[in-house]
Amino acid sequence: MKMNHVGIMVGDMDKAVEFYTNALGLKVVMGNTKVEEERETAIGRMCVAVFGEGFKGFNIAHLVTTDGIGVELFEMKERQERQERHDVDFSRIGIFHFCLQTDDFHGVIERTEKFGGKVRMDIMRYHPEDDNKPAKMVYLEDPFGNLFELYSHTYEETYSSEYE
């Protein structure tokens, strides 16, 4: 099994594309494209099946990480406006964040704030007692309150028994 892509709801497509490309370094594969609610095409029927009757339409853009994972941005025509801070409802089942890995840890944090995102916590080191294990992480938000985690290291390095 491989990860292919993740879909993210945003409030302003232009601002989202700017953030995900300039702050996080993703590349645009397909720019902002308008999708209308309709049943004449296979894509139209699929959208009705996924979003339900009356979704009205949306803007979509496709981006990709440097390792080829897709990031699909959706700006729905009809949506609730964003809250000042993203509150995760831990009583509900579902995805509550995604995680990116970078060699430019502090640069990504700076660009996240510069392009309208937020830092949710202080940077944490997994093994502060061992300078030979400098793995760091932090939770951030995009400009629309979508929560994401940033790693300075691989997932396996974080949780592997050899890394302890």
Side-chain angles (χ1 to χ4, degrees):
M1 187 67 68
K2 294 180 182 179
M3 179 63 101
N4 185 280
H5 74 274
V6 61
I8 302 170
M9 297 292 193
V10 300
D12 178 314
M13 186 59 73
D14 293 334
K15 187 173 185 175
V17 170
E18 177 186 54
F19 178 82
Y20 281 90
T21 57
N22 293 325
L24 303 183
L26 278 64
K27 182 179 90 174
V28 174
V29 174
M30 184 181 91
N32 188 358
T33 304
K34 188 175 294 299
V35 175
E36 297 293 334
E37 182 176 359
E38 50 88 7
R39 293 181 164 278
E40 289 73 50
T41 67
I43 296 294
R45 290 187 294 278
M46 182 270 302
C47 289
V48 170
V50 170
F51 298 112
E53 295 283 345
F55 71 88
K56 304 279 190 276
F58 54 87
N59 290 322
I60 189 169
H62 297 271
L63 288 69
V64 68
T65 64
T66 57
D67 62 343
I69 305 301
V71 175
E72 197 172 23
L73 302 175
F74 293 86
E75 177 192 19
M76 303 304 289
K77 275 189 177 179
E78 292 189 0
R79 65 186 178 278
Q80 293 179 355
E81 289 305 314
R82 140 185 204 259
Q83 300 169 354
E84 189 56 33
R85 179 178 168 126
H86 180 77
D87 292 318
V88 178
D89 182 353
F90 293 105
S91 67
R92 296 183 54 131
I93 294 173
I95 296 171
F96 78 93
H97 79 278
F98 61 95
C99 184
L100 299 171
Q101 177 186 326
T102 184
D103 293 330
D104 185 18
F105 193 79
H106 293 283
V108 169
I109 293 168
E110 289 172 16
R111 289 188 304 276
T112 292
E113 291 183 306
K114 177 181 175 183
F115 288 97
K118 293 182 184 175
V119 178
R120 285 287 295 246
M121 61 179 282
D122 292 335
I123 295 169
M124 187 187 98
R125 282 203 38 215
Y126 279 96
H127 300 280
E129 74 289 347
D130 186 347
D131 288 337
N132 293 319
K133 297 178 182 175
K136 296 179 278 196
M137 64 80 63
V138 66
Y139 273 89
L140 306 165
E141 289 181 18
D142 74 5
F144 314 100
N146 292 304
L147 198 58
F148 67 98
E149 196 172 0
L150 186 67
Y151 275 14
S152 65
H153 54 284
T154 69
Y155 190 77
E156 289 175 339
E157 285 173 322
T158 306
Y159 298 107
S160 155
S161 57
E162 291 106 35
Y163 196 68
E164 290 182 33

